């Protein structure tokens, strides 16, 4: 059996301005530093009904105008 890290996929809104507070990059790095560097990370959706991987191309920076 191997340890893995799951990140729950939450559906909070139709835009970032409807999602409420989220972790900053620094907070996420600090949190993940408690785990072994080789631990795989997966997205967990729909209460564990579906799962997904995270690749470098899945993460990007963009602009969003908050209302």
């Amino acid at each position: 059996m191997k340890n893995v890290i799951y990140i729950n996929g939450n559906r909070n809104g139709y835009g970032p301005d409807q999602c409420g507070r989220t972790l900053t990059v620094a907070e996420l790095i600090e949190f993940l530093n408690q785990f072994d560097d080789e631990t795989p990370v997966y997205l967990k959706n729909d209460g564990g009904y579906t799962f997904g991987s995270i690749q470098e191309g899945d993460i990007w920076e963009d602009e969003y105008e908050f209302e």
Side-chain angles (χ1 to χ4, degrees), residues 26-46:
E27 290 169 332
L28 182 57
I29 290 169
E30 182 179 340
F31 179 78
L32 290 176
N33 273 330
Q34 68 183 308
F35 300 100
D36 182 279
D37 288 349
E38 299 302 316
T39 306
V41 179
Y42 297 94
L43 295 174
K44 187 174 183 181
N45 303 299
D46 309 314

Side-chain angles (χ1 to χ4, degrees), residues 6-59:
Y6 293 117
I7 297 177
N8 279 322
N10 297 313
R11 293 188 176 113
N12 300 87
Y14 294 100
D17 55 336
Q18 296 177 341
C19 292
R21 187 188 182 302
T22 189
L23 291 175
T24 65
V25 171
E27 290 169 332
L28 182 57
I29 290 169
E30 182 179 340
F31 179 78
L32 290 176
N33 273 330
Q34 68 183 308
F35 300 100
D36 182 279
D37 288 349
E38 299 302 316
T39 306
V41 179
Y42 297 94
L43 295 174
K44 187 174 183 181
N45 303 299
D46 309 314
Y49 184 71
T50 61
F51 296 85
S53 61
I54 303 170
Q55 304 294 319
E56 286 181 22
D58 297 331
I59 301 171

